[in-house]
Amino acid sequence: MRRWWAWAQWVVIPIAVLGMAETVVRSTVDRRPRWYGAAEQAVADVPVNALFVGSSRVEAAVYVPAFEEEASAMSRACVRALNLGRGYSTAAEHYLGLRNLFAAHPEHLSTTTVFVEMPLGPAGPSQWRGSWAHDEQPWMLVDLLRWHDLRAFGGSSGLALGEKIHLTVRFVLRGVMATFNRRERIREELLRRGIPWVLDVMPRRPLPEGNSPLATTRDLIGLETDIRRDPVSLRRARDLAIQVTGAWVGQDTPVHEWQESIERDLVEMVERQGGRVVFFKPPLSSVFTRLDRNPGRQKDLERFGEQAQKWGAAILTPHVELTDEDFPDLWHADHQLALRFSRELAHDWLRTLGTSALAGGATPSALDSARAAGRSTCPPP
């Protein structure tokens, strides 16, 4: 018996430890999803009028409370929005996330406007045959996949075959091994916050009646931004911005093929659900805006504008006063710039789309007077 246990303990004890870890992860981390998973929880409870998708530039530049406040005051309606911008995300991931979101709760997204970040620099149209995930954080794709996506994902390029196999295995096992599928989040949070994070994710009592589920869920979508603000990270980011744009500034290869792109598919998918798509450019430092002075880039922007018009999608270009001091790392807007930009973006949105932006919204001629009144019927979160 003792001899048997001497061997069996090397199997029984690891299985027991893994089982305990799995139970803890399922009862904590999996109960508080992030990004599009958190968005699905929010949209299940309340209608959402605006969704913002794109990179970490969108994450930093759009401050949702300021956007909601401005749009609500102007339209005399209760405007709700979610910012789904995230660093290292791809057009394919945002398409899949929006598809799942619309499929889960179409009744709360029937008049939603999806704000899509315009391409930066010489970036051309995103293709399904290209990479579906960024090689810095490919695991972000796993929760967005569905079984019928696997064949097309397997035929895509950009990621190495081994990485695609790894992500496919994680997708297949995500309902069985939460610890395996959430290990990046667990490691990140433990390194950043330690034991206080463990206590924070433990199950809690239900929220008191009257609390806004959208406001409660919003913090989980944004993932506690991965934009680093410490001096070393800022210096590295600034150096990288100068290096990257220096390589881009001389590129003038024409950008075509928008008609066969993920961007086009996204517009068509949203419109089939009754929503609208608008493209916008978050505020940029002079290090990046110099790219637009390239004649080739200007022609690319003209072609994109013509294509967006054919799709029936508007392009919003809010004007805000800014300097490079508003971009600590030259990539991302600081909070004060985000406040100004978000308000102007709301203003341009309602001025451009008018009554089509919101069900029962004010007419364009009434928007300025509503803004001046400064009153909102939107209840506080």
Side-chain angles (χ1 to χ4, degrees):
M1 183 66 178
R2 291 181 178 178
R3 185 177 181 181
W4 175 86
W5 173 244
W7 287 100
Q9 64 182 335
W10 294 102
V11 176
V12 174
I13 294 177
I15 290 177
V17 171
L18 289 175
M20 292 175 60
E22 184 73 13
T23 300
V24 170
V25 171
R26 286 179 179 274
S27 63
T28 57
V29 177
D30 265 9
R31 289 169 60 94
R32 302 183 69 183
R34 287 179 163 185
W35 205 21
Y36 279 99
E40 286 194 25
Q41 286 189 351
V43 175
D45 296 309
V46 292
V48 172
N49 310 99
L51 298 170
F52 299 91
V53 302
S55 67
S56 57
R57 289 179 293 277
V58 172
E59 179 185 7
V62 179
Y63 184 59
V64 167
F67 178 90
E68 290 178 337
E69 181 182 5
E70 184 75 8
S72 297
M74 292 177 62
S75 64
R76 298 174 183 171
C78 181
V79 176
R80 296 298 193 191
L82 293 174
N83 187 344
L84 296 165
R86 183 172 181 183
Y88 301 115
S89 59
T90 65
E93 288 171 327
H94 283 295
Y95 176 94
L96 297 175
L98 289 171
R99 177 201 64 186
N100 301 340
L101 197 58
F102 276 99
H105 304 290
E107 72 283 1
H108 284 165
L109 296 168
S110 59
T111 60
T112 296
T113 299
V114 178
F115 292 72
V116 181
E117 180 181 16
M118 289 181 62
L120 177 66
S126 302
Q127 307 286 344
W128 288 110
R129 62 177 179 270
S131 182
W132 286 26
H134 196 288
D135 55 7
E136 288 288 339
Q137 295 186 9
W139 49 268
M140 288 163 47
L141 177 66
V142 174
D143 284 341
L144 307 176
L145 289 172
R146 298 296 182 263
W147 287 101
H148 58 270
D149 297 322
L150 295 183
R151 181 175 181 180
F153 172 59
S156 64
S157 62
L159 294 176
L161 177 60
E163 188 66 65
K164 288 193 287 187
I165 293 175
H166 172 73
L167 293 177
T168 301
V169 170
R170 288 184 64 158
F171 166 77
V172 172
L173 297 178
R174 65 181 178 179
V176 180
M177 297 182 64
T179 308
F180 175 60
N181 200 38
R182 306 294 182 206
R183 66 182 189 273
E184 289 89 359
R185 180 178 171 187
I186 296 170
R187 181 176 63 246
E188 172 193 354
E189 296 290 3
L190 285 175
L191 287 174
R192 180 184 299 177
R193 298 173 55 191
I195 297 301
W197 171 74
V198 177
L199 299 176
D200 185 54
V201 297
M202 294 300 289
R204 300 179 178 184
R205 293 175 297 176
L207 288 166
E209 186 176 355
N211 279 26
S212 167
L214 188 65
T216 303
T217 310
R218 186 179 291 134
D219 292 337
L220 305 180
I221 295 173
L223 321 129
E224 292 184 354
T225 176
D226 55 2
I227 302 170
R228 306 302 183 190
R229 300 297 189 185
D230 61 278
V232 174
S233 297
L234 289 178
R235 184 170 60 252
R236 290 176 178 172
R238 294 174 71 89
D239 292 342
L240 180 61
I242 295 171
Q243 176 185 345
V244 168
T245 56
W248 284 352
V249 75
Q251 296 185 21
D252 56 3
T253 304
V255 175
H256 298 288
E257 301 181 7
W258 288 108
Q259 189 55 29
E260 301 296 330
S261 64
I262 296 177
E263 288 81 3
R264 183 208 64 175
D265 292 346
L266 190 152
V267 171
E268 293 182 350
M269 182 263 293
V270 172
E271 290 184 344
R272 283 197 302 270
Q273 302 296 327
R276 291 285 301 273
V277 170
V278 298
F279 291 94
F280 77 108
K281 180 184 293 185
L284 300 171
S285 67
S286 63
V287 174
F288 287 94
T289 56
R290 62 177 175 153
L291 299 173
D292 292 344
R293 294 194 289 270
N294 182 305
R297 174 60 177 162
Q298 292 176 359
K299 292 181 180 179
D300 291 338
L301 292 173
E302 291 176 4
R303 280 191 291 267
F304 180 79
E306 293 170 356
Q307 187 61 68
Q309 186 176 19
K310 293 178 181 178
W311 293 336
I315 295 180
L316 303 183
T317 56
H319 176 72
V320 291
E321 296 294 332
L322 54 84
T323 68
D324 283 353
E325 293 182 358
D326 296 311
F327 302 88
D329 61 358
L330 295 179
W331 293 83
H332 306 102
D334 65 12
H335 183 64
Q336 292 303 314
L337 176 55
L339 286 172
R340 302 196 304 272
F341 176 77
S342 300
R343 294 185 181 116
E344 287 302 317
L345 183 60
H347 179 262
D348 280 11
W349 172 48
L350 293 176
R351 289 292 300 177
T352 300
L353 299 189
T355 55
S356 65
L358 294 169
T363 61
S365 61
L367 294 178
D368 286 332
S369 59
R371 187 188 196 194
R375 292 190 298 269
S376 172
T377 61
C378 198

